[in-house]
Amino acid sequence: MKPRRPLVDALIKFHKQQPFSFHVPGHKHGELSTLPKAMRNALAYDFTELTGLDDLHYPEEAIQEAEQLLSEVYDADHSSFLVNGSTVGNLAMVHAVCQEGDTVIVQRNSHKSIFHALELTKVKPVYVVPAWDETSRSVVGVALEEIQEAVAQYPDAKAVILTYPNYYGMAALDLKEIIAYCHSRNIPVLVDEAHGAHFQVGNPFPPSSLKFGADVVVHSAHKTLPAMTMGSFLHHNGNLVDGKKIKKYLRMLQSSSPSYLIMASLDDARAFVQQYSPEDRRSFEDKRTQFVESLAAIPTLEVFQSDDPLKLMLRVSGHSGFQLQQQLEKVKIYGELADPYQVMLILPLLKKTQTYPFADIRSRIKEAVQRVAEEPLEEITVKVAEQEKISVPELSFEEMDIEDREWIVYTKAIGRISAAMVVPYPPGVPLVLPGEKWTLAKLEELMDYLATGAQIQGEHRLSEKLICVLPQ
């Protein structure tokens, strides 16, 4: 059966009219564009809010129907298309729940957009540190006991903000119990589930936090579903969060000129999930198993399988993930990320009728691994700084706004309060946040990351060995 794609169908119908454009965008259906033909062709469907094409911010026609279908597929009370990525979903859900001065419990390995939302709303964050998982070599979810302790210390908390799964596809074991516990105290749970949009297809994938009753969930559809970059979903359930406020902040924070191409790809991605059958899942599992087994047979290569079957970590003992990444890219294999230990691949969520050149890919990976094995040993261990399980910043966001800043050599930062976020990427977990103190352990971790060649995001001048702190 042909899937319903209301917005896609509306764009096709409009395009067939061969309309003349006396409206934005200025490329006039691609006629004025000088992009290469393959890119320019897509512009013929890059419309705006015209009769019959609806309005994302006040949907009544095709977009409304498409979002209703989305909510049905994800079993949510209401779902929304996001054209500014999961970032705007995270900003909107925090704004909808929190007011200035509110206390909010936050998983500390959250995405930077969560921390930006906290800063914009000027809340009082209580950070809960997740555990380090040696098998995936990443930080995973927080434990139920730590959330219980945080709520006991801060019973007036207005929300609990969690990340599930982590970037590496590791699923938090206590999520169901955490949500139930928070709800027993009327505390809404907001989940950044950016990397779990595909969980809704069912086994062998972990359950979505929506199945556990999360109040607001944000999905990056573009990460694992066939949606365009910046295409995401937001889902809302229950009455602990005001859905009208979510829509209000989405209208304020999203572009007033949303991309119809991105929205059409979201309509298509929803249909993809809806049509993903048991036969598709079995076919995917078979193809994946054959690929993983073929990789595992490559000498010196270790393959780690995440909780999420779409995520694979490749490791070569005695060599860093950055070494492996360099050799993989020489044979045109581009992974999602490299860290000091491994390279992560995100597999395609194939249907039964779809193929991928796994045999050729396996041959190229083998060639890259052989080259890495011939290189000098270079594996670098990053010692993760010990942190208090539950902590609050030394200064509030409001106090940070009125403080001056100064740049100092990072080796002199111990005991100083950071004026900026410093985020090793990957894994994308903030090493220090504004208002927190630099410790010897954090400084050592920073130097370990710098030694590996990891990218450091945030406000810094590390090329000059400088970081931003508050005056003493």
Side-chain angles (χ1 to χ4, degrees), residues 216-237:
V216 186
V217 177
V218 175
H219 283 141
S220 287
H222 67 93
K223 293 189 185 300
T224 54
L225 299 180
M228 289 179 65
T229 297
M230 292 178 69
S232 295
F233 303 140
L234 182 146
H235 312 280
H236 169 236
N237 276 315

Side-chain angles (χ1 to χ4, degrees), residues 184-232:
S184 72
R185 282 149 180 79
N186 291 319
I187 301 174
V189 179
L190 316 180
V191 182
D192 178 358
E193 196 173 301
H195 289 266
H198 59 294
F199 286 3
Q200 203 67 14
V201 305
N203 287 329
F205 300 98
S208 169
S209 60
L210 287 164
K211 292 189 179 298
F212 298 147
D215 300 276
V216 186
V217 177
V218 175
H219 283 141
S220 287
H222 67 93
K223 293 189 185 300
T224 54
L225 299 180
M228 289 179 65
T229 297
M230 292 178 69
S232 295

Side-chain angles (χ1 to χ4, degrees), residues 32-40 43:
L32 303 188
S33 172
T34 56
L35 286 169
K37 183 178 180 181
M39 298 182 190
R40 189 171 67 247
L43 298 184

